[in-house]
Amino acid sequence: MQNHQAFIDAACAVIGHDHVLTSDLDMYAQDWRKKYFGRPLAVLRPASTAEVAALVKLCVEHAVAIVPQGGNTGICAGSVPDASGEQVVLNLARLNRLRSVDPANNTMTVEAGCILQTLQDTAESVDRLFPLSLGAEGSCQIGGNISTNAGGVQVLRYGNTRDLVLGLEVVLPSGEILDILRGLRKDNTGYDLKQLFIGAEGTLGIITAATLKLFPAPRACAVAFAALSSPAQAVKLLQHMRAELGERFTAFELMSDASIDLIRCHFPASPNPFTSPHSWYVLMEATDSGTDAALGALFEGALERVLEQGIIDDVALASSKAQAGELWMMRENVSEAQQIDSPNIKHDISLPISSIPAFIDEVVGALEKTYPGVRPIIYGHLGDGNLHFNIARPLAVDNAQWQDETHAVNTMVHDAVVRQRGSISAEHGIGQAKQEEMAHYKSEAELVVMRAIKRAIDPQLLMNPGKVLDMGSTS
Ligand code: FAD
Ligand code: 2HG
Ligand code: ZN
């Protein structure tokens, strides 16, 4: 306790009393899904890289474990501490300066605490696009996006966050600053160290700044919402639209009828373009640098052909930016609607796109047999082979009983994923929520290399212990 007080006094000396929080910590201690409640020793809110480095040195001196925290919107509870009262939360919200924008180099250099939406707006202000886009963009931070290698709805065209990062500034677990903040598209000088920190979920260091890629701002945009009978038809639709629209095709989001019902229930103002219900829906988007009229004609032509061929049953084309926005809002609200509805057993899986229809049939069939009345809420980024395969309870089963089935349901879903050489975490990461499954499903060879990297960079195991990898003792 005395030792803790000495640590807190020293932290106050570095960043000031106002930014060392020791009471009213609930919002920092609990994850977005409200499934994990930790107990931080304190919450530290540094405002510069130098302050982060000084705080990390202090943590090393006092052997205090550090939990980096961005917008705390992560789905796997990587950004909250355990219940020991021994870990500090290092919240990056105040480290939020835009350091520079270089339109000629198509880059911007920003601090980790910048909110994603602010960065999208910054890019737009110089007639550029920063394409990372996801439902939590109004509150997640770029440091969190990089640390989870976030995906979102534009991966089809622009890739994951990993593909958008050119350089990083990282405070290492020793407190040293690793400055690899370069805006280069070609650099083969040895190992590409930034890749280690992207997707590391704060277990290897604290990202303090990043140089990010910008793209030409699209001039034209077309959005359509299609109704179809099955995931197999959705896979055909994807192939057809990609063949016709090529690199213009930016998003392809699948939603089951149960996902749409949930949205309509919790967000009743959501659009409802079809007169009768359908089994599956796809939200699609294309963009390019020409005119809306030219892109619209191409898009409409492609849709007419898939309608004629019976690949889709109906389609609604957004006729204005506002209508497109409403359709997108509906898609982005699925997660929130499920959160309001009741706890669900989440899976964020990826598979070869070609094997998705058979996977859905097989696993939904098996779940329905074991749990009559179960409600699979299946939606997500089909264009990337990534589904949110979230299993809501049968209405006859209460929430607590359903939570008790988590391990059994996870096993049914993830065993099937692994049989197809898929991934049990496509875009959300591992955090605390999937740590045991990581240990179970990853090969020993991969785990050995990962643990060796962790020990080489963080020998005291102070960076986000209990997340991603099981390293045994944290001291
Ligand atoms: P946090 O939740 O604060 O942290 C996430 C992890 O990164 C933690 O392990 C934390 O320790 C670490 N971390 C945070 N900042 C740093 C830093 N500066 N240095 C080192 N480590 C750090 N994710 C997707 O991929 N695609 C989606 O489409 C998507 N949609 C979402 C929709 C909703 C409604 C919600 C609530 C979440 C969604 N997510 C999605 C998940 C989440 O928004 C992303 O994982 C996001 O990238 C997390 O950013 P954050 O700033 O909130 O990070
Ligand atoms: C999305 O695509 C997010 O909406 C959240 O990745 C998924 O809550 C989820 O399961
Ligand atoms: Zn997603």
Side-chain angles (χ1 to χ4, degrees), residues 244-260:
E244 289 224 17
L245 290 154
E247 74 289 352
R248 292 181 186 89
F249 210 47
T250 52
F252 191 88
E253 296 286 315
L254 180 74
M255 282 170 276
S256 65
D257 54 353
S259 321
I260 295 289

Side-chain angles (χ1 to χ4, degrees), residues 124-367:
E124 201 180 330
S125 72
V126 292
D127 198 24
R128 296 290 184 274
L129 172 76
F130 182 59
L132 182 62
S133 174
L134 46 105
E137 63 199 21
S139 49
C140 63
Q141 299 173 6
I142 192 67
N145 302 144
I146 296 171
S147 300
T148 55
N149 184 26
V153 295
Q154 305 253 7
V155 172
L156 192 57
R157 172 136 171 212
Y158 297 100
N160 294 296
T161 303
R162 187 181 296 285
D163 302 295
L164 306 175
V165 175
L166 290 175
L168 284 184
E169 179 186 82
V170 180
V171 173
L172 295 170
S174 60
E176 248 175 285
I177 299 170
L178 181 70
D179 181 355
I180 40 175
L181 208 49
R182 289 185 280 261
L184 306 176
R185 284 168 177 78
K186 287 191 155 186
D187 178 11
N188 281 351
T189 50
Y191 305 142
D192 188 354
L193 293 180
K194 68 177 179 293
Q195 299 298 351
L196 274 180
F197 300 95
I198 302 173
E201 300 183 53
T203 60
L204 297 178
I206 295 164
I207 294 170
T208 47
T211 299
L212 304 169
K213 278 188 200 168
L214 298 176
F215 295 82
R219 306 276 174 241
C221 180
V223 171
F225 190 53
L228 25 73
S229 58
S230 66
Q233 295 299 76
V235 170
K236 278 191 203 156
L237 175 64
L238 174 65
Q239 287 179 71
H240 192 102
M241 296 303 283
R242 286 195 92 175
E244 289 224 17
L245 290 154
E247 74 289 352
R248 292 181 186 89
F249 210 47
T250 52
F252 191 88
E253 296 286 315
L254 180 74
M255 282 170 276
S256 65
D257 54 353
S259 321
I260 295 289
D261 290 349
L262 209 56
I263 297 169
R264 299 249 156 81
C265 174
H266 296 290
F267 296 92
S270 300
N272 192 355
F274 305 121
T275 46
S276 56
H278 296 266
S279 301
W280 293 88
Y281 301 86
V282 166
L283 182 61
M284 293 172 275
E285 184 180 277
T287 58
D288 76 11
S289 53
T291 63
D292 276 326
L295 179 65
L298 263 178
F299 203 52
E300 233 170 301
L303 289 171
E304 270 165 25
R305 282 179 283 283
V306 287
L307 206 48
E308 272 164 24
Q309 290 171 28
I311 294 174
I312 60 174
D313 299 331
D314 206 347
V315 66
L317 202 63
S319 62
S320 64
K321 218 175 160 182
Q323 266 187 15
E326 283 167 15
L327 288 170
W328 269 114
M329 185 60 81
M330 178 166 75
R331 161 61 187 93
E332 301 290 19
N333 279 338
V334 188
S335 184
E336 185 80 44
Q338 267 210 294
Q339 181 73 5
I340 300 166
D341 188 62
S342 70
N344 58 91
I345 304 178
K346 278 192 187 297
H347 307 97
D348 165 38
I349 58 177
S350 64
L351 295 159
I353 295 172
S354 48
S355 58
I356 284 180
F359 172 89
I360 294 177
D361 281 352
E362 176 200 326
V363 182
V364 168
L367 285 164

